[in-house]
Amino acid sequence: MKARVTVTLKTGVLDPQGKAIEGALKSLDVQGISEVRQGKFFELEISETDEAKATAILRDACEKLLANTVIENYRIDLA
Amino acid sequence: MKSAVVVFPGINRERDMAHALKLASGVTPHMVWHADTELPDVDVVVVPGGFSYGDYLRCGAIAARAPIMDAVRRHADAGRYVLGVCNGFQILTEAGLLPGVLMRNASLKFVCKMVHLRVENADTAFSNAYRAGQVFRSPIAHGEGNYFAEPETLKRIEGEGRVVLRYCDAEGSRSPSANPNGAINDIAGILNERGNLLGMMPHPENLVEPLQGGTDGLGLFQSLTRAAATIAA
């Protein structure tokens, strides 16, 4: 089973990289984008076939390593 | 003072650190590889600076889960001293041994220069050779030193006197221009709750003898030497 994990900064945490990208888009004359927040994206291959068990494994992976939950949220999507 | 320096792949300040420890204590530190699971019997363990695991995922994230870190945690739990400098500070926060996190510098630039630090608390094992309010110089070299903690965490560490070092100007005044990375409350170094583990972004080990331009940083290692001697006595 394939899984996707998206890690994003929590609301209220400053994202200077997102701001820089936002500025670069403006300088490229890309209109209509009011805010950019940068995050991370992981593709994982999981041998577990039970969805609930797979989700539990992924949550463990996120809590232990993939996200720093002081400043980041994570979302798990099973394919 | 017996000490050990933990070495991870990608670390580059371990020799500077060992030199500073030897200079202050007269004892050559043990160098301990990250894959080891036991520390030698020492008073102080130092997690030095560098770019462990190439800063992959997040600075310090992979190193914080290395086998030796369980031994570092046990060392801290036993009340012995742990110092983390630069990447070492990032590793200690990622390991959950210190609160908060070190984010990308607000300027988005890697900053390598001399800064001034103000001693906020001189009543610690890491700062007792300085006076409270004393200003000293220290080099910094980092891209992710922008300390951040949630408001309630920040309130607690400030209230408990756990902010040991703050960025300031040469006169000891705080200002946005004296803060090199955007760290909240100009925080440069913090203690854990028990007061036996310090994390700091600046590199005191790189200003310990005249050849390096000064000896401002030596006080930190002299403080530890004194603290270790007190415990031993």
Side-chain angles (χ1 to χ4, degrees):
Chain A
M1 182 163 26
K2 275 199 192 311
R4 292 169 171 190
V5 170
T6 314
V7 175
T8 51
L9 281 174
K10 287 182 179 173
T11 313
V13 175
L14 282 176
D15 178 16
Q17 293 179 91
K19 281 277 171 236
I21 295 164
E22 195 181 305
L25 287 171
K26 283 202 175 72
S27 74
L28 289 166
D29 212 23
V30 178
Q31 305 289 331
I33 293 171
S34 57
E35 196 187 5
V36 178
R37 305 274 289 166
Q38 184 181 309
K40 292 192 185 86
F41 175 71
F42 304 86
E43 278 182 334
L44 304 98
E45 193 68 49
I46 303 194
S47 48
E48 177 59 59
T49 50
D50 181 86
E51 285 207 2
K53 282 180 187 160
T55 303
I57 291 168
L58 289 163
R59 193 170 293 130
D60 193 37
C62 287
E63 292 285 336
K64 280 184 177 160
L65 185 63
L66 299 184
N68 181 332
T69 54
V70 176
I71 50 165
E72 293 171 329
N73 291 320
Y74 58 85
R75 201 186 71 218
I76 295 164
D77 295 300
L78 294 174
Chain B
M1 175 180 74
K2 290 177 289 178
S3 60
V5 178
V6 182
V7 184
F8 298 94
I11 285 286
N12 59 15
R13 302 288 184 125
E14 75 278 10
R15 290 182 188 207
D16 310 46
M17 186 57 75
H19 178 71
L21 288 164
K22 170 86 192 282
L23 206 60
S25 68
V27 183
T28 303
H30 298 266
M31 305 305 272
V32 181
W33 188 232
H34 69 109
D36 289 351
T37 52
E38 295 290 334
L39 285 163
D41 179 30
V42 293
D43 307 299
V44 180
V45 173
V46 183
V47 187
F51 302 87
S52 58
Y53 299 91
D55 282 347
Y56 289 179
L57 187 62
R58 293 178 306 274
C59 298
I62 314 270
R65 281 82 182 170
I68 194 62
M69 288 308 292
D70 285 333
V72 173
R73 188 172 279 110
R74 287 196 302 273
H75 183 85
D77 287 347
R80 298 186 184 189
Y81 301 121
V82 179
L83 170 66
V85 167
C86 198
N87 195 205
F89 185 9
Q90 296 162 342
I91 292 167
L92 294 180
T93 57
E94 278 285 347
L97 290 166
L98 284 169
V101 58
L102 292 140
M103 304 193 354
R104 182 67 71 93
N105 290 349
S107 64
L108 292 177
K109 293 191 173 76
F110 187 95
V111 183
C112 182
K113 64 173 186 180
M114 193 71 87
V115 298
H116 290 90
L117 301 174
R118 192 172 75 194
V119 179
E120 299 291 297
N121 183 352
D123 190 22
T124 81
F126 305 87
S127 58
N128 60 65
Y130 298 101
R131 296 183 316 275
Q134 185 175 343
V135 175
F136 71 94
R137 294 178 306 146
S138 179
I140 58 164
H142 60 249
E144 279 90 358
N146 183 354
Y147 184 75
F148 174 85
E150 289 162 1
E152 56 270 34
T153 306
L154 192 64
K155 198 175 161 193
R156 196 170 68 243
I157 62 174
E158 287 281 1
E160 292 171 358
R162 288 163 55 190
V163 177
V164 178
L165 299 166
R166 254 188 254 276
Y167 301 108
C168 65
D169 63 19
E171 279 72 49
S173 302
R174 291 167 59 188
S175 72
S177 63
N179 180 332
N181 51 34
I184 200 159
N185 290 12
D186 305 318
I187 288 174
I190 56 163
L191 277 179
N192 67 346
E193 199 168 357
R194 193 165 171 178
N196 64 324
L197 182 150
L198 178 88
M200 64 186 291
M201 286 313 297
H203 287 283
E205 76 277 17
N206 289 134
L207 202 62
V208 293
E209 56 181 321
L211 186 65
Q212 297 169 317
T215 58
D216 295 43
L218 192 58
L220 197 127
F221 303 97
Q222 291 168 333
S223 300
L224 273 170
T225 305
R226 196 185 295 180
T230 311
I231 283 188

